Amino acid sequence: MAVVTIVGGQWGDEGKGKIIDLLAKKAKIVARFSGGDNAGHTVVNPHGEFRLHLIPSGIFYPEVTCIIGNGVVINPAVLLQEIKDLSNHGVDTNRLFVSDRAHLIMPYHTLLDALEEERRSKGALGTTRRGIGPAFADKVARSGIRVGDLLDKETFRNRLSAALELKNIILTEVYQASPLSLEEIYNQYCHYGEQIASFIQETSSMIHEAVAKGEPVLLEGAQGALLDPDFGTYPYVTSSSPLAAAGCVGVGLGPKEIDRVVGVFKAYNTRVGAGPMPTELKDETGNLIREKAHEYGATTGRPRRCGWFDAVAGRFSVQINGITDIALTHLDIYDGFSQIKICTAYKFNDEVITSFPSNLDILEKCQPIYEEVEGWEESISGIRNFDKLPAEARNYMSRLEELLSCPINLVSVGPDRRQIISVKEFFS
Ligand code: GDP
Ligand code: IMO
Ligand code: MG
C-alpha cells in the first residue's frame, strides 16, 4: 500500500496534524492538497508544540519530502513566517517544495474577506478572514496569480496590474475603502518571491516518481467534510474541497493511485464559525468538553462549539470521502463521563431522518435523537494497547464503527505523538 489520503471527517480540527505527524514517520512524501492558512494543524512531538497553517505536518522527519500542492492557496508572508519559526526550533525545511501552480493570496483577498464578512453582518459566515474565499474565487474566475508567476517579474507585474485594477474599483466604489497601491504590492511580493524561489517546483512529477517506485505518500487534507462547498452545510462552508477526492486534483494524481482514505474524527463534535450543528451543547456539558479539551481555534483563537458525536453526519462523511479507516481522536476527553450520548438520527417535525439533509432550512430544524452508552471513570491517556482500554471505551468505539460502517484503526488518547493506540498498520 503506498498512497494514503488523510481527511477531516467533521467540521475541521479533528486532530489531523497529530495523526499526520505520526503516520509521516513511514512516508517518503507528505503533500497538502487543499485550503490555505485557514487551517491550523497542531503537532506535539519531541521538537515542541507547533501550529502549522501551510507546511505539511510531515516536516519533522528529515528524510520526508514535504509538498504544498497546487490545490492550496498560499499567503507568502504566512509561509515565510512558518519556515522561520520551524528553523528557529531546529526543524530543517530544506525538503519543502511549493507547487508553481498553487495560487497566491494577495492583500486584496484578505481585505475583501473581512469587508464581505462585515457586509454580511448578522449573516456572517464566521470565516477565518485569511482571504481564502476571495483567493479561490479568483482562481476559478481566471483572475488569480500563481506562485510560479513570482519567478518572472514582468509576468507578475502584468497579472497584478490587471487584477488590481478591478479590485480597486470594488474597494473604492462598493466598499468606500482606500485603493491599494500597485507599487507597494509589487515590491512586497517580489521580495517574497525572491525568498521562496528556491522552494518553487513543478511538484506533481515528484509525486508521480514516488508513486511509480511504490514509495509511501501521504496526502494531507485540511478542514473537514462538512465544510465542503458541495456536500457541507452550504453556504457555511469553506471555499475548497476538503474531501478525499480533492486530494487527487490538489496534487495531480489519478484516483486509482489512492490505496486508503483515513478519516480523522473526534470522539465528539466541534465547529468554529457560523452554521448549523445539530448536536451542539450550549450547556455545562458543552463547556466541560471545551475547557477540558482546550477547544479554541488554532488559527483564530475563537471558542469552538462543542457537542455529542453526530453519527448521521459521520456516516455521510464516510460515504462522500470513501473513508476506509477511521482515526478516532480525543477519546481521553470522555474520561470521567458516566454517560456518553451518540446522535443516531434526527427528528424533523414528526419525521425521523437518518441521512444528512442537503437543505439547510431542514438541517437547522433537525433535533438530534440520542442513544446513551456507559462511560468510564479512569484516565486512558497513558494507555497504548487497545485491549487495556476500559470495556466501556471499547464498547463506545464499536458502536461508532457500527453506525459509521467503518473500522476505527487508530485511537488517539492525548495531543502528544506518543499518545496513540494503533489497531492497524497503514503502510504495508
Ligand atoms: P487539526 O486542524 O485537525 O490538525 O486539529 P487542531 O490542531 O486544529 O485541533 C486539535 C487539537 O486537539 C490540538 O490542540 C491537538 O493538540 C489536540 N489533540 C489532538 N489529538 C488529541 C487527543 O487525542 N486528545 C486530546 N486531548 N487532544 C488532542
Ligand atoms: P483545519 O484544517 C475548522 C471554517 C471557518 C468558517 C468556514 C469558512 O485546522 O481543520 P474560511 O476562512 O475557510 O473561508 O472560513 O470554515 N474553517 C475551519 N474550521 N478547522 C479548519 O481547518 C477550518 N478552516 C476553515 O471557521 O466557519
Ligand atoms: Mg485545526
Side-chain angles (χ1 to χ4, degrees):
M1 175 192 317
V3 186
V4 177
T5 306
I6 299 182
V7 291
Q10 295 155 316
W11 276 288
D13 302 329
E14 298 88 351
K16 297 176 291 296
K18 175 192 164 151
I19 300 298
I20 293 155
D21 170 61
L22 174 89
L23 295 182
K25 184 171 186 230
K26 298 212 173 142
K28 184 80 184 172
I29 293 182
V30 180
R32 249 293 288 277
F33 66 77
S34 70
D37 64 298
N38 48 352
H41 295 179
T42 313
V43 170
V44 183
N45 63 24
H47 295 275
E49 179 170 342
F50 302 86
R51 268 169 205 87
L52 300 168
H53 301 290
L54 286 168
I55 296 181
S57 307
I59 196 71
F60 303 94
Y61 300 95
E63 62 288 356
V64 175
T65 296
C66 286
I67 291 175
I68 304 180
N70 52 279
V72 179
V73 286
I74 295 172
N75 182 331
V78 175
L79 175 63
L80 285 164
Q81 185 61 47
E82 214 160 285
I83 292 171
K84 196 168 149 201
D85 289 346
L86 286 167
S87 302
N88 289 344
H89 281 86
V91 180
D92 176 15
T93 51
N94 283 330
R95 296 142 299 97
L96 174 70
F97 298 96
V98 181
S99 166
D100 54 357
R101 290 186 169 92
H103 278 245
L104 287 166
I105 295 185
M106 304 300 294
Y108 42 81
H109 292 137
T110 33
L111 192 55
L112 285 167
D113 196 354
L115 289 167
E116 285 168 13
E117 277 289 85
E118 274 150 34
R119 189 180 56 81
R120 286 183 197 112
S121 181
K122 277 193 188 137
L125 306 176
T127 74
T128 58
R129 301 193 177 206
R130 299 299 177 104
I132 306 298
F136 278 114
D138 271 357
K139 174 178 174 175
V140 292
R142 295 157 294 187
S143 48
I145 304 176
R146 306 200 293 178
V147 169
D149 295 334
L150 290 174
L151 297 175
D152 180 335
K153 289 189 180 172
E154 200 184 323
T155 307
F156 175 61
R157 195 182 174 93
N158 290 340
R159 292 205 198 288
L160 175 62
S161 159
L164 193 60
E165 199 182 319
L166 178 60
K167 298 301 177 197
N168 274 340
I169 295 173
I170 298 171
L171 285 173
T172 54
E173 295 187 17
V174 177
Y175 291 106
Q176 279 77 51
S178 305
L180 296 176
S181 148
L182 171 67
E183 287 313 313
E184 257 175 50
I185 303 178
Y186 175 74
N187 289 330
Q188 187 185 37
Y189 273 64
C190 282
H191 184 55
Y192 292 149
E194 284 155 17
Q195 293 174 82
I196 62 171
S198 61
F199 297 99
I200 304 174
Q201 283 273 339
E202 197 298 302
T203 50
S204 71
S205 52
M206 300 168 74
I207 298 180
H208 299 154
E209 253 172 59
V211 170
K213 285 193 228 156
E215 289 172 342
V217 173
L218 275 185
L219 303 186
E220 173 169 350
Q223 289 83 52
L226 304 170
L227 290 169
D228 180 69
D230 283 277
F231 291 98
T233 50
Y234 191 87
Y236 300 98
V237 294
T238 189
S239 299
S240 65
S241 176
L243 300 179
C248 294
V249 186
V251 299
L253 207 55
K256 277 199 322 210
E257 309 295 350
I258 311 299
D259 297 288
R260 304 208 77 81
V261 177
V262 177
V264 186
F265 286 83
K266 270 178 185 159
Y268 47 89
N269 270 82
T270 63
R271 172 164 204 170
V272 224
M277 175 181 173
T279 63
E280 181 173 10
L281 292 168
K282 294 178 179 166
D283 62 6
E284 275 315 299
T285 310
N287 292 341
L288 177 66
I289 295 175
R290 183 177 311 106
E291 296 315 316
K292 210 171 161 190
H294 310 291
E295 291 291 359
Y296 293 88
T299 298
T300 57
R302 290 178 292 175
R304 294 176 184 146
R305 299 153 65 192
C306 300
W308 299 114
F309 191 94
D310 184 339
V312 179
R315 195 162 46 232
F316 183 58
S317 172
V318 167
Q319 291 164 345
I320 57 179
N321 275 302
I323 292 171
T324 56
D325 309 78
I326 290 172
L328 188 72
T329 65
H330 297 79
L331 192 61
D332 53 298
I333 298 304
Y334 277 152
D335 293 352
F337 275 60
S338 54
Q339 298 285 321
I340 300 168
K341 290 186 187 178
I342 308 171
C343 166
T344 55
Y346 301 145
K347 193 159 185 223
F348 172 66
N349 296 332
D350 286 333
E351 239 182 291
V352 174
I353 299 181
T354 53
S355 55
F356 195 70
S358 53
N359 183 325
L360 213 68
D361 292 335
I362 296 179
L363 185 64
E364 272 165 348
K365 293 189 188 95
C366 279
Q367 293 300 317
I369 299 175
Y370 289 118
E371 176 180 305
E372 257 185 45
V373 298
E374 292 291 306
W376 55 93
E377 264 311 307
E378 59 267 57
S379 161
I380 62 167
S381 53
I383 296 177
R384 302 288 172 265
N385 186 324
F386 180 76
D387 299 327
K388 299 258 165 67
L389 282 170
E392 295 84 357
R394 283 183 278 129
N395 179 47
Y396 178 60
M397 285 169 50
S398 68
R399 187 63 186 125
L400 292 186
E401 288 182 320
E402 220 167 69
L403 289 164
L404 270 57
S405 302
C406 189
I408 296 172
N409 285 330
L410 265 182
V411 189
S412 173
V413 291
D416 193 277
R417 187 193 275 173
R418 290 164 300 184
Q419 291 177 298
I420 199 81
I421 301 171
S422 277
V423 185
K424 184 189 165 153
E425 191 57 53
F426 286 90
F427 293 115
S428 56

